[in-house]
Amino acid sequence: MKKKDFEFTTEQQKFNKKYDLSDKDYWECHGKPVILHSGCEKVAIKDGIKSLDLEIIEINSEKRIAVIKCSGNLHDRHEVSFGESNPKNTMSAYPVAMAEKRAKDRVILKLVGMGGLIYSESDVVKGKDGKWDFADEVDSFETTTEEELALATAELKKIEESNEKPKS
């Protein structure tokens, strides 16, 4: 078994003890612990988070885009978050499932007071360099270069010209 390459903060240690979480509920990314989705589910069950309401904001299967809104309650606390999935922030073949997982994990962690203190595995993505990184640290928005635009325009013109030729 691989030695863990991260240390828990005091606050994370208390969280792990309260919810009976161990190293097996985490993996490491850049020396930081990242909780698995199954760990978030354990937290929800242990704390009695029974209902997370989901709302589809956007789904475009052709473009592989999904945005899901999740809201939940725990005692007197109410939290809302969004899960989004698109080709720039996930390699998943199941963008709707990824968006749902991200939304749920974020709300669960917010409800138990750990939002922003623990990363969920659903918030870790592969960067342009192929390495794992935290989603908020990945520059996923790119602009089209002039060269790429010229190539795309030339390709479009070629397609249009071939469609205009009479068929024999």
Side-chain angles (χ1 to χ4, degrees), residues 7-127:
E7 295 298 324
F8 293 110
T9 65
T10 303
E11 197 164 17
Q12 291 167 338
Q13 289 172 4
K14 290 177 186 175
F15 172 77
N16 291 342
K17 186 174 182 179
K18 179 178 180 179
Y19 294 103
D20 298 320
L21 300 172
S22 71
D23 291 354
K24 292 179 182 178
D25 294 300
Y26 292 86
W27 64 283
E28 179 270 333
C29 183
H30 300 290
K32 294 180 183 177
V34 176
I35 192 168
L36 298 171
H37 177 66
S38 58
C40 287
E41 289 180 333
K42 284 182 186 179
V43 170
I45 291 167
K46 181 135 177 119
D47 230 342
I49 301 170
K50 295 180 177 151
S51 177
L52 294 173
D53 297 318
L54 300 173
E55 178 184 342
I56 296 169
I57 302 300
E58 178 181 3
I59 293 179
N60 183 324
S61 58
E62 186 177 306
K63 292 182 180 179
R64 297 186 58 238
I65 295 171
V67 180
I68 305 288
K69 177 182 176 184
C70 181
S71 58
N73 297 300
L74 179 62
H75 311 300
D76 62 343
R77 193 170 184 148
H78 178 77
E79 293 290 347
V80 175
S81 194
F82 295 83
E84 60 288 308
S85 179
N86 65 64
K88 291 188 180 226
N89 69 18
T90 186
M91 301 293 284
S92 176
Y94 307 101
V96 176
M98 178 54 78
E100 176 188 359
K101 189 162 97 167
R102 286 177 172 163
K104 284 181 173 181
D105 287 357
R106 290 171 183 165
V107 167
I108 291 167
L109 291 173
K110 282 180 167 186
L111 285 171
V112 298
M114 294 303 285
L117 300 174
I118 290 184
Y119 278 101
S120 158
E121 73 172 319
S122 61
D123 282 321
V124 178
V125 299
K126 272 194 180 174

